[in-house]
Amino acid sequence: LPALAARLQGAQWVLADTGAGAPTRAAIDRARERRMAMDETTYGRWRHTVDTAALRAAQALETGDFDELAASLQAAGEALEPLDICNDAMRIALRTLLRGGASAVKPTGAGLGGVVVALARDAERAAQLARDVARAGLAAHIFPLVESGADDRV
């Protein structure tokens, strides 16, 4: 992992916390309803997109490819749109982070409130994104993509 860690060193996660949320069951039920409303062809394409994004992200982490990680994270986030699991606060967070120059954004958690995760190439961009999120009235938290330590965990 040391080569991987070196290639991703400096990249940061920025979490925009809306402070709102709905019961997980509500989000799961909504997502299930949206998924069941898809015809089989649409579902097949959607599932392929989700699976491909996950595989690409895993490969990008293994190879230390920041741009591929960003592209796959963004694809995964966009794939969630048909499930309609974002509330207005999450949409504000998504727009704020993208406008601020996040390399990728994705809703996380059960949906219907909660957290949006963004990927920033470096600490300077992460700090700017956190300020943008705070100006939008949301809490922001920054974490390194690569943990400092003996084993350089991602």
Side-chain angles (χ1 to χ4, degrees):
L1 285 179
L4 163 73
R7 292 188 66 188
L8 295 174
Q9 197 67 43
Q12 306 277 309
W13 292 117
V14 178
L15 279 67
D17 188 345
T18 68
T24 301
R25 171 58 52 204
I28 291 170
D29 288 347
R30 181 183 286 188
R32 183 180 297 120
E33 287 172 17
R34 298 302 191 276
R35 183 274 174 252
M36 297 306 288
M38 294 178 189
D39 61 53
E40 286 307 307
T41 300
T42 301
Y43 174 72
R45 283 189 208 127
W46 176 81
R47 184 61 198 228
H48 176 75
T49 299
V50 171
D51 291 347
T52 300
L55 288 172
R56 287 175 52 205
Q59 291 169 344
L61 286 170
E62 288 175 4
T63 62
D65 187 335
F66 179 89
D67 293 327
E68 183 63 20
L69 177 60
S72 59
L73 183 68
Q74 187 64 34
E78 291 171 2
L80 295 175
E81 290 175 13
L83 300 181
D84 191 30
I85 57 170
C86 288
N87 64 15
D88 290 341
M90 290 182 82
R91 287 184 191 93
I92 289 168
L94 289 162
R95 281 192 306 271
T96 299
L97 290 162
L98 281 174
R99 285 185 194 145
S103 296
V105 297
K106 181 185 175 296
T108 190
L112 297 176
V115 177
V116 171
V117 63
L119 184 60
R121 188 172 292 278
D122 55 46
E124 183 179 329
R125 174 64 59 196
Q128 181 59 53
L129 291 170
R131 287 189 294 272
D132 293 346
V133 165
R135 275 193 295 276
L138 307 171
H141 309 280
I142 300 172
F143 300 95
L145 177 63
V146 177
E147 288 185 37
S148 296
D151 58 0
D152 290 318
R153 290 181 298 246
V154 176

